[in-house]
Amino acid sequence: MKKNPVGTLIVLVAAVISCLAIFLPFYSVDAFGQSITVSLFNADGVQVVAIVWLAFIALTLISALAGKKALVLVFGILSGAGLFLSYTLNNNQLKDLGELGSLVNKGIGNTLTIVGAVCMLVAGIIYAVTTKAE
């Protein structure tokens, strides 16, 4: 087992940011006397996708704690790519709404999703590069 405490700490920080992004408000809509807030986890029909991203994030962290260099890189790339995909698809749907899209406000979860995606990709690469082979 290869130990890399600095790399593991970087993966831990990236995992926390990514998990927060999934649960914090992604969008909020305040129109016609109604106020609705949606995160990636509580949006209709995408809970399964959010659970998959959470699983990839957890597997990245578990792999880092276990010292599995290749798995950290693979799961880091998968979780980062998944978060980036969710960010891109959701924001493209907002553009498709046209003028109705102006009623939608992006939340902190929206910003943290792209930050978390980049962090997971970078953390996986940093961990793989800085972990020495035995």
Side-chain angles (χ1 to χ4, degrees):
M1 179 165 68
K2 301 168 224 76
K3 295 290 183 179
N4 184 352
V6 174
T8 303
L9 182 63
I10 293 170
V11 171
L12 175 65
V13 170
V16 168
I17 291 170
S18 299
C19 287
L20 284 174
I22 291 174
F23 291 104
L24 287 175
F26 200 81
Y27 291 127
S28 62
V29 179
D30 194 13
F32 310 113
Q34 298 291 322
S35 182
I36 299 171
T37 303
V38 176
S39 70
L40 287 178
F41 190 74
N42 71 358
D44 288 338
V46 294
Q47 287 90 359
V48 173
V49 174
I51 291 169
V52 169
W53 299 158
L54 285 171
F56 283 153
I57 292 166
L59 288 170
T60 305
L61 183 57
I62 291 168
S63 300
L65 291 171
K68 304 293 183 185
K69 181 174 155 178
L71 290 177
V72 171
L73 185 60
V74 168
F75 289 126
I77 289 171
L78 286 173
S79 59
L83 288 169
F84 181 75
L85 181 66
S86 292
Y87 174 84
T88 304
L89 291 175
N90 283 307
N91 284 320
N92 281 342
Q93 284 180 342
L94 187 60
K95 288 178 187 173
D96 291 342
L97 292 176
E99 289 186 23
L100 287 176
S102 64
L103 299 173
V104 179
N105 299 315
K106 294 180 182 178
I108 187 71
N110 190 306
T111 305
L112 278 181
T113 300
I114 193 68
V115 170
V118 171
C119 285
M120 288 305 292
L121 290 170
V122 170
I125 292 168
I126 288 174
Y127 187 90
V129 169
T130 60
T131 302
K132 295 179 179 152
E134 290 183 353

